[in-house]
Amino acid sequence: MIGNGFAWGRHTIIEEGELDPATWQLRVAHYLVAGPDGRPLPGRFASLEAAKAFIEGREEGGTGNL
């Protein structure tokens, strides 16, 4: 299930996980990144910090690190 998405630089970080039936809250399993055009980029990130670092690497002219 897709959770919240929020902008980081020119990209979007998207939560993905499962809904907890007891609390109705999303248990985030990992994060996805979409490019400036809205298309998802390859890779899943175990933490929000890893997704941010990937984006920052891309925006500094690199390809990011998966």
Side-chain angles (χ1 to χ4, degrees):
M1 169 177 250
I2 298 293
N4 294 317
F6 50 94
W8 190 259
R10 297 182 307 125
H11 293 70
T12 303
I13 299 173
I14 306 160
E15 299 171 330
E16 188 173 54
E18 298 295 325
L19 195 60
D20 182 336
T23 64
W24 292 93
Q25 292 181 334
L26 182 69
R27 289 186 202 153
V28 176
H30 52 264
Y31 297 86
L32 307 173
V33 173
D37 61 359
R39 294 182 187 188
L41 299 174
R44 292 180 176 176
F45 302 90
S47 70
L48 182 58
E49 291 75 23
K52 289 177 180 179
F54 173 76
I55 291 169
E56 290 166 357
R58 289 181 60 90
E59 291 190 354
E60 291 174 0
T63 58
N65 295 318
L66 289 178

